[in-house]
Amino acid sequence: MYKGELAEQWEKCNAIVLTWIGSTIADELMASIMYASSAKKVWSEFEERFDRSNLTRIFHLWTEIATLRQGTESVTSYYSKMKDCWDELDVLAPLPSCDCEESLPYVVHLGSQRLLQFLMGLNESYSNLRSNLLARRPIVSVNKAYAIVSQEESQRLLGVVDVNKEPLTMLTGRTYQGFKPKKPGVGIICEHCDYKGHLKENCYKIVGYPQDFKSKKKGSQISRFRPFAIPL
């Protein structure tokens, strides 16, 4: 308890802080501060009881960053999730606040590290763009890399950029290696003779064989099943 000329002001401030603590803690903790007279003592006690190491949270953030992948999400959604992790890390492990030469290498290294983390999680469809960004000198910032990749994504959605395949208009009149067009009649089975390649209404056993027809079996000749007259 404070004594002296500022005692009255201290009492007011102490009461305000105690009220603030009481309005923010869980209901089951109210009994432990109900008769407290010093906000500082209450704060110190809670700090000792509930303070946890930041290393555990930092570990989970690093794990989340290392395993984060774009997947089916947009580039913007993927980048936003990763940036949220970076922002929380900056709170738990603040960056150097000065602009001195000693802190500059650390800031540059951290920027390069986050650029790599962002590029690693992109889908493989951006592999060429990723290689180009890694080869740039000077090294681009992660925000600049995001802007470039996001623009690429927008162009692909508009159909301006082709991704791993040719546009359909370029396929006209082209047969790809290993692809053979199906022959007419493939997959069709006659209901009358059970042979493939024709329908019942076109079956030679019903409509008759053409005059120049020859059986596929060697040495056999198929009659044309046409009526003929016996000379008298």
Side-chain angles (χ1 to χ4, degrees):
M1 182 175 296
Y2 189 86
K3 296 181 180 181
E5 298 178 357
L6 301 178
E8 185 177 352
Q9 295 184 16
W10 183 90
E11 289 289 349
K12 292 180 180 179
C13 292
N14 184 64
I16 292 173
V17 175
L18 280 174
T19 302
W20 172 77
I21 294 176
S23 63
T24 55
I25 63 174
D27 293 338
E28 56 268 23
L29 298 176
M30 282 296 298
S32 62
I33 67 169
M34 186 175 297
Y35 301 104
S37 59
S38 173
K40 184 178 184 304
K41 290 182 179 180
V42 173
W43 184 266
S44 299
E45 182 182 351
F46 282 165
E47 184 178 15
E48 185 178 357
R49 289 170 60 185
F50 301 108
D51 185 33
R52 298 177 182 177
S53 173
N54 290 334
L55 286 178
T56 302
R57 182 55 185 163
I58 292 175
F59 171 81
H60 288 295
L61 287 172
W62 273 107
T63 303
E64 185 174 354
I65 292 172
T67 57
L68 188 60
R69 295 294 182 268
Q70 180 187 353
T72 58
E73 296 183 341
S74 65
V75 174
T76 299
S77 178
Y78 158 67
Y79 179 75
S80 297
K81 287 184 177 181
M82 183 160 286
K83 192 174 185 305
D84 289 341
C85 294
W86 290 337
D87 291 343
E88 187 172 351
L89 274 176
D90 290 341
V91 174
L92 297 176
L95 296 173
S97 57
C98 63
D99 297 329
C100 59
E101 295 182 1
E102 287 75 11
S103 63
L104 182 60
Y106 173 76
V107 175
V108 173
H109 173 71
L110 182 62
S112 300
Q113 192 178 58
R114 292 185 174 179
L115 173 64
L116 294 176
Q117 291 169 348
F118 168 67
L119 295 178
M120 285 173 58
L122 289 174
N123 291 338
E124 285 304 311
S125 59
Y126 295 100
S127 58
N128 291 335
L129 183 58
R130 178 168 51 210
S131 299
N132 292 334
L133 290 172
L134 290 173
R136 289 196 179 190
R137 293 295 180 273
I139 299 175
V140 299
S141 66
V142 65
N143 288 333
K144 179 65 176 178
Y146 160 71
I148 295 173
V149 177
S150 180
Q151 183 179 8
E152 175 81 2
E153 180 186 50
S154 299
Q155 290 178 340
R156 291 181 181 183
L157 293 175
L158 293 174
V160 176
V161 178
D162 178 39
V163 185
N164 295 333
K165 60 182 179 179
E166 294 178 293
L168 293 177
T169 55
M170 299 179 64
L171 298 179
T172 306
R174 178 178 299 185
T175 302
Y176 277 22
Q177 184 178 3
F179 172 78
K180 296 181 179 180
K182 291 184 177 180
K183 295 180 179 180
V186 172
I188 299 175
I189 300 177
C190 177
E191 297 178 357
H192 179 71
C193 66
D194 292 331
Y195 278 90
K196 298 179 180 179
H198 65 273
L199 296 174
K200 179 179 179 181
E201 55 265 26
N202 298 323
C203 182
Y204 287 168
K205 291 186 178 182
I206 297 178
V207 301
Y209 289 85
Q211 294 181 359
D212 57 348
F213 177 81
K214 292 183 179 181
S215 174
K216 294 182 179 180
K217 296 181 180 181
K218 294 183 180 181
S220 63
Q221 181 73 27
I222 304 298
S223 64
R224 294 190 293 274
F225 292 94
R226 295 182 182 274
F228 59 91
I230 300 177
L232 300 175

